[in-house]
Amino acid sequence: MKKTIYQIIALSFLGVVSCTPPEIGYLSDSIHSAQDTISVPRGSFTVGARPMTENSTAPLRWEIVGFSDMDGNPNNALLEKHEIRVWKEAYNGDTDTTLALAEQKLELSEEPSVLLNEVSGEFAFTQSTKFVEGDMFKVDVAVSNVKGEKLLQDFTIIKLEPFQAVEFPTEMRSRLLLDSDNGNTIAHTGVITGPEDNNIPSVLDGTNPYFSIQKVSDEPANSVQVNMIIQDSYGNAVDADEITFYPSGSGYLQNYHDNSVETVEGDQMTSFFLPAPPFPQYGRDYSGSSTYLMYYLSKGSTFIVDKEAYQADKGPKTDAEWEEFWAPYKDPKTGKIRNHAYIRWGIKINDSGTWDLRMKIPYTKLEE
């Protein structure tokens, strides 16, 4: 009898427990932005980092609630729409081989400066940012899942930086290689190391000894023309057919030809075209900041090594020591120093118009 009573009590208790619904989902109180401040260069497409969701149950849904200035006054200028040129489909260097084909993927569209991926919580910023007044904005967002919804006030700060017509996301090199029967040796490398390099202003004003990147025309107004000009160390341009692709297995490393919808080879420059910035847009082999790595070489016949200038800068050595230094690289038939250039671009152009990209190869000259 006692056993039966215990069983009845146990079953009654289980019945009470089974009527209490289990906890469903989790929405953390500690969800926060991975970036206290998102710095956005005006006029370029930029994507922010994913928020830290702190093990909250997926899927999450994100939405923008509003913006304010740094004093807390409402300011939704980032949500105002402006007409910009946008891609309806991604550029494809294999199929978009003419301006006409690429133009079919573009349209003028009214777009806000900021978008929020409602699934990932990532902010994306459009070229409309170049029309926005003000530099600093706080943003409030809402996030929700099966557990409920939270308002995240002052979620992050958006800082609009000055427009960067040219970015330097990765390393750029101008290198002279000395060639021997047993391989090659680096003679000298001119370099821009990346976005923090102190020499970037000299590249943009044309005073850098190795690189010059300058806008030479506002036309074309909506599209981009990029002229690649390779020079000796005295500024003399080489013939375009002296510059070759960098071989890699059965193919070639990434180059501007992959990004151009049309390519025109002139006597002393090669011109590339894209119907809308940024240029380049396409990475055949690389991604992220490395998308902008573009590789070329010069032929062995392109340059004469300026031994006098090299020795003046790299000495002191005796004549006999210099003769020993140059010996492995001498062509046994001509006596000239065998060499070639390694050309590595690492830039992103965010503006329309025509741009000249000039690279001087150190310690070289053209045959007179």
Side-chain angles (χ1 to χ4, degrees):
M1 180 68 178
K2 187 180 292 186
K3 181 179 179 180
T4 303
I5 292 173
Y6 287 151
Q7 288 175 335
I8 292 171
I9 292 173
L11 289 171
S12 300
F13 177 76
L14 289 173
V16 172
V17 172
S18 65
C19 292
T20 303
E23 189 83 4
I24 298 176
Y26 171 67
L27 188 59
S28 173
D29 292 327
S30 301
I31 294 176
H32 62 280
S33 172
Q35 299 167 279
D36 293 334
T37 300
I38 304 175
S39 296
V40 181
R42 290 178 183 269
S44 64
F45 185 83
T46 306
V47 177
R50 291 193 176 204
M52 309 301 289
T53 60
E54 304 299 337
N55 297 316
S56 296
T57 304
L60 296 170
R61 184 179 181 277
W62 298 83
E63 62 177 317
I64 294 172
V65 175
F67 294 89
S68 62
D69 62 23
M70 298 306 289
D71 295 323
N73 303 307
N75 185 339
N76 287 326
L78 291 172
L79 296 177
E80 296 174 1
K81 294 184 176 181
H82 304 275
E83 188 176 66
I84 58 175
R85 212 172 193 202
V86 299
W87 290 91
K88 296 181 290 183
E89 301 175 53
Y91 170 74
N92 185 323
D94 292 322
T95 59
D96 299 331
T97 54
T98 68
L99 282 170
L101 286 172
E103 288 278 1
Q104 294 174 14
K105 293 186 172 182
L106 285 161
E107 66 179 0
L108 288 173
S109 178
E110 294 280 338
E111 299 293 339
S113 295
V114 62
L115 306 167
L116 180 61
N117 187 315
E118 65 176 26
V119 176
S120 69
E122 295 168 292
F123 287 102
F125 301 89
T126 73
Q127 289 88 343
S128 290
T129 51
K130 63 185 175 183
F131 302 110
V132 175
E133 294 185 10
D135 300 323
M136 303 281 285
F137 301 85
K138 295 180 181 179
V139 57
D140 300 335
V141 302
V143 59
S144 60
N145 65 3
V146 293
K147 180 64 175 176
E149 180 176 293
K150 290 185 184 297
L151 173 64
L152 305 176
Q153 292 182 301
D154 296 342
F155 181 65
T156 190
I157 294 171
I158 294 169
K159 181 181 180 182
L160 298 185
E161 303 281 3
F163 175 60
Q164 288 184 274
V166 183
E167 293 181 60
F168 297 79
T170 189
E171 190 168 289
M172 182 164 61
R173 299 174 189 162
S174 169
R175 175 175 290 169
L176 174 64
L177 291 161
L178 304 178
D179 301 327
S180 70
D181 293 339
N182 298 317
N184 53 63
T185 301
I186 297 173
H188 188 80
T189 304
V191 65
I192 296 295
T193 58
E196 306 303 322
D197 195 302
N198 293 329
N199 293 309
I200 285 175
S202 68
V203 176
L204 299 175
D205 67 19
T207 60
N208 189 275
Y210 308 108
F211 311 101
S212 172
I213 299 171
Q214 297 189 45
K215 188 174 185 177
V216 296
S217 174
D218 290 330
E219 295 296 330
N222 292 317
S223 55
V224 188
Q225 176 177 338
V226 173
N227 303 321
M228 182 174 71
I229 303 162
I230 305 301
Q231 303 171 313
D232 68 10
S233 57
Y234 295 93
N236 301 304
V238 307
D239 292 339
D241 60 6
E242 290 289 322
I243 306 304
T244 64
F245 294 157
Y246 194 118
S248 176
S250 60
Y252 299 97
L253 291 181
Q254 195 159 280
N255 52 70
Y256 282 135
H257 290 70
D258 291 340
N259 286 270
S260 181
V261 295
E262 293 176 5
T263 301
V264 176
E265 290 200 357
D267 290 339
Q268 295 181 323
M269 72 178 181
T270 303
S271 298
F272 309 102
F273 300 86
L274 198 66
F279 184 94
Q281 288 215 16
Y282 175 68
R284 186 181 301 278
D285 304 309
Y286 302 93
S287 61
S289 63
S290 295
T291 298
Y292 311 104
L293 292 179
M294 301 289 159
Y295 296 92
Y296 293 91
L297 300 174
S298 73
K299 295 179 181 178
S301 58
T302 306
F303 297 110
I304 294 174
V305 174
D306 190 345
K307 293 195 297 181
E308 292 76 13
Y310 188 86
Q311 291 175 190
D313 288 346
K314 302 293 184 178
K317 293 182 189 294
T318 65
D319 289 345
E321 288 173 328
W322 277 117
E323 189 65 26
E324 182 181 359
F325 172 82
W326 294 115
Y329 312 113
K330 276 190 177 181
D331 186 308
K333 294 182 179 179
T334 65
K336 294 180 180 178
I337 303 303
R338 293 172 287 179
N339 72 92
H340 71 281
Y342 164 77
I343 296 161
R344 171 171 150 164
W345 299 101
I347 63 163
K348 176 184 175 186
I349 296 175
N350 294 315
D351 199 8
S352 58
T354 300
W355 294 80
D356 279 0
L357 275 60
R358 298 175 185 267
M359 183 183 292
K360 292 180 181 178
I361 307 304
Y363 301 107
T364 61
K365 57 186 179 181
L366 302 186
E367 192 164 11
E368 296 177 357

